Amino acid sequence: GRGTYDSETGEFLGNFGIDFFMDKLVDILGGSYTDTGYAFLADSEGVIVNHPYGSYQMAENSTTNISDLGYGLVKADGSSSAIIRDYDGTLRIITAKRNAQSRFTVYEAVDFLSIYGPTVLSVILVFVILVVCAVMVYRQLTALMRWQDAMNVRMQEALIVMSAGASIGIDIQLN
């Protein structure tokens, strides 16, 4: 339990504690499992109490510690996060928050694409548009340079014809 004190005098009044069945807590957290993420609980030693992957869940004969898994990469401060490849191969963003009194930690795992998917899609789309624009500009410039080369050849030919006509005395009028 936890010591309880009078808020005005600071006098010790007694201890306060609560019994809570772990299976009820596991049921509550089990309700957090969705298509895009889940939450789970680890005790003060880092032993996973509940988890959607049955092999990680605490059982009478087996336990799994977060330090043995990618979850151990995240600090349990509520603001740090880590990207891991989870038990099912999915990239997930993990955050964790430790309760100071109970020292239990709640971990939250959310699919990477559910958070960053729109950003990744936007970056890919912008890149494709950029490549298409670059190809179009390249093709237009190439066509313009070919046209310019053709015009230069025609002008050279016209200059030769004019030079030849002038040397034999033909008067060329340009309209």
Side-chain angles (χ1 to χ4, degrees):
R2 182 174 164 193
T4 305
Y5 299 88
D6 185 299
S7 62
E8 293 178 15
T9 65
E11 179 183 349
F12 179 74
L13 299 174
N15 285 325
F16 177 78
I18 186 170
D19 278 335
F20 194 82
F21 293 106
M22 289 303 286
D23 59 344
K24 188 67 175 164
L25 183 59
V26 168
D27 287 343
I28 291 169
L29 287 172
S32 74
Y33 304 161
T34 68
D35 292 341
T36 59
Y38 59 89
F40 68 94
L41 187 68
D43 69 12
S44 61
E45 302 296 320
V47 174
I48 295 174
V49 176
N50 75 304
H51 197 280
Y53 186 55
S55 295
Y56 292 171
Q57 188 134 329
M58 181 187 286
E60 192 173 322
N61 299 331
S62 69
T63 60
T64 303
N65 197 292
I66 57 150
S67 61
D68 299 332
L69 307 169
Y71 309 119
L73 298 173
V74 68
K75 293 171 72 177
D77 59 6
S79 60
S80 300
S81 62
I83 298 173
I84 67 164
R85 186 154 310 274
D86 210 355
Y87 67 95
D88 59 358
T90 303
L91 263 165
R92 289 204 170 87
I93 300 169
I94 308 298
T95 56
K97 177 76 174 165
R98 176 174 288 122
N99 180 285
Q101 285 80 29
S102 69
R103 300 198 22 90
F104 274 71
T105 304
V106 175
Y107 287 82
E108 181 182 17
V110 181
D111 287 357
F112 179 85
L113 289 179
S114 71
I115 293 177
Y116 293 111
T119 302
V120 169
L121 184 61
S122 296
V123 167
I124 290 170
L125 184 62
V126 166
F127 180 74
V128 168
I129 290 170
L130 180 67
V131 168
V132 168
C133 288
V135 168
M136 289 174 57
V137 167
Y138 174 78
R139 291 183 72 185
Q140 290 296 326
L141 287 174
T142 302
L144 182 62
M145 288 189 296
R146 284 186 191 134
W147 177 81
Q148 182 68 40
D149 289 342
M151 290 300 111
N152 286 341
V153 168
R154 289 171 116 182
M155 289 177 64
Q156 289 293 329
E157 290 171 352
L159 187 59
I160 291 171
V161 169
M162 286 177 44
S163 296
S167 65
I168 58 173
I170 299 176
D171 189 16
I172 299 176
Q173 273 190 344
L174 299 175
N175 292 335

